């Protein structure tokens, strides 16, 4: 169990920054071993990432003051940010976000129990970490490629785009505000953080994409045999 977070906001205010900090603090319950963010800053055309093996409340105090978050706003006036609160079952190497060329992802779930040295042969990817979330990072179509694995994911692209999705084995929620959207792992995180707008569950097996105009598009996949365990009294 980990926490994933996303924020895409037009001309964010200090009140928005305070809201984002609350979302991170409320997400801490899903993983206290490490916290990280990726964002599209005004000083660069690429993705910047900060991650550290500390819980979210400490991370917020260290890295997410108003001035810090102000610098994370892109030159187009929008904030594009994803975050992760890690619950580790092994070590604290290879924390998230996972970053590739022009793309960063945060992932809650499990893709494989195979040993990392077998990933190339089994999945065809050359991985540089031992975190199986890297397989999600490298795939262009993870829900089709790994249909029986568990995932809720938020992706950030250098071309000012964000994509989010889940399958039936992990939760993911979206709150649409007047000036953008906030993504949280659960609805109660959004509620506790004081997001006073309706929160919707991200539909299973649907790629939800936001562009720089904050326009939302949906691409639904047909995955044979898919079951939404989030509504079958399973606790994931």
């Amino acid at each position: 169990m980990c926490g994933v977070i996303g924020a895409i906001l037009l001309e964010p205010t200090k009140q928005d920054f305070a809201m984002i900090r609350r979302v991170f603090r409320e997400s801490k319950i899903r993983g206290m071993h490490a916290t990280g963010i990726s964002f599209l800053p005004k000083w660069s055309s690429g993705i910047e990432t900060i991650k550290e093996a500390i819980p979210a409340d400490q991370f917020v105090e260290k890295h997410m003051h108003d001035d810090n978050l102000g610098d994370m706003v892109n030159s187009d006036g929008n904030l594009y940010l994803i975050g992760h609160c890690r619950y580790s079952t092994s070590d604290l190497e290879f924390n998230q976000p996972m970053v590739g060329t022009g793309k960063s992802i945060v992932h809650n779930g499990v893709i494989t129990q195979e040993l990392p040295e077998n990933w190339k042969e089994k999945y065809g990817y050359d991985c540089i970490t031992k975190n199986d979330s890297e397989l999600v990072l490298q795939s262009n179509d993870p829900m089709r490629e790994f249909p029986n694995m568990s995932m809720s994911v938020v992706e950030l692209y250098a071309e000012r785009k964000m994509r989010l999705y889940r399958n039936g084995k992990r939760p993911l929620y979206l709150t649409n505000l007047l000036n953008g959207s906030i993504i949280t792992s659960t609805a109660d995180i959004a509620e506790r953080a004081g997001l006073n707008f309706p929160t919707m569950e991200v539909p299973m097996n649907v790629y939800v994409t936001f562009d720089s105009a904050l326009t939302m598009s949906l691409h639904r996949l047909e995955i044979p045999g898919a079951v939404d365990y989030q509504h079958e009294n399973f606790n994931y």
Side-chain angles (χ1 to χ4, degrees):
M1 180 179 74
C2 296
V4 297
I5 300 159
I8 180 166
L9 298 172
L10 174 66
E11 298 182 354
T13 64
K14 289 186 177 181
Q15 288 74 25
D16 293 325
F17 295 158
M19 172 188 64
I20 291 168
R21 288 192 289 268
R22 293 196 302 271
V23 169
F24 271 82
R25 292 188 183 106
E26 295 299 338
S27 297
K28 182 182 78 167
I29 192 172
R30 294 189 64 85
M32 298 180 62
H33 297 112
T35 311
I37 56 174
S38 285
F39 53 94
L40 305 182
K42 63 180 65 176
W43 66 80
S44 169
S45 60
I47 299 172
E48 297 288 330
T49 299
I50 305 170
K51 47 188 173 182
E52 195 168 350
I54 55 177
D57 52 351
Q58 296 179 29
F59 187 92
V60 163
E61 289 302 315
K62 187 172 182 179
H63 298 291
M64 298 181 71
H65 293 287
D66 283 351
D67 288 344
N68 303 134
L69 286 166
D71 286 340
M72 295 176 193
V73 175
N74 192 259
S75 58
D76 70 354
N78 293 351
L79 177 69
Y80 308 87
L81 182 147
I82 62 174
H84 191 266
C85 296
R86 184 179 181 190
Y87 177 83
S88 177
T89 57
S90 53
D91 53 45
L92 286 176
E93 289 187 286
F94 315 122
N95 293 320
Q96 296 191 45
M98 307 291 290
V99 184
T101 303
K103 177 182 177 182
S104 179
I105 67 114
V106 289
H107 167 234
N108 170 33
V110 177
I111 300 302
T112 183
Q113 300 288 353
E114 285 278 354
L115 294 172
E117 52 265 34
N118 298 331
W119 293 353
K120 171 65 174 177
E121 180 179 358
K122 187 172 180 64
Y123 303 109
Y125 294 117
D126 289 308
C127 294
I128 61 174
T129 75
K130 296 180 181 179
N131 185 331
D132 63 338
S133 296
E134 188 179 353
L135 296 168
V136 178
L137 174 69
Q138 298 222 33
S139 174
N140 291 322
D141 193 358
M143 288 199 293
R144 279 200 181 96
E145 189 164 357
F146 307 110
N148 298 316
M149 310 311 177
S150 60
M151 66 179 81
S152 63
V153 181
V154 189
E155 301 175 342
L156 177 65
Y157 291 82
E159 62 265 32
R160 298 169 176 165
K161 183 178 77 173
M162 191 175 291
R163 186 172 76 161
L164 52 137
Y165 50 93
R166 72 171 183 94
N167 64 13
K169 297 182 180 180
R170 287 295 186 271
L172 193 63
Y173 285 79
L174 175 65
T175 305
N176 290 318
L177 312 176
L178 295 178
N179 65 329
S181 298
I182 299 291
I183 301 108
T184 55
S185 285
T186 63
D188 66 298
I189 289 173
E191 181 179 356
R192 294 198 309 269
L195 275 62
N196 297 317
F197 289 83
T199 296
M200 60 170 280
E201 184 177 41
V202 174
M204 178 183 71
N205 296 338
V206 174
Y207 288 123
V208 181
T209 303
F210 288 95
D211 62 18
S212 60
L214 279 63
T215 301
M216 181 174 67
S217 61
L218 284 71
H219 177 60
R220 187 177 301 275
L221 307 180
E222 294 297 330
I223 308 289
V227 176
D228 196 345
Y229 292 99
Q230 294 305 303
H231 302 286
E232 293 290 334
N233 297 319
F234 283 80
N235 181 13
Y236 285 95

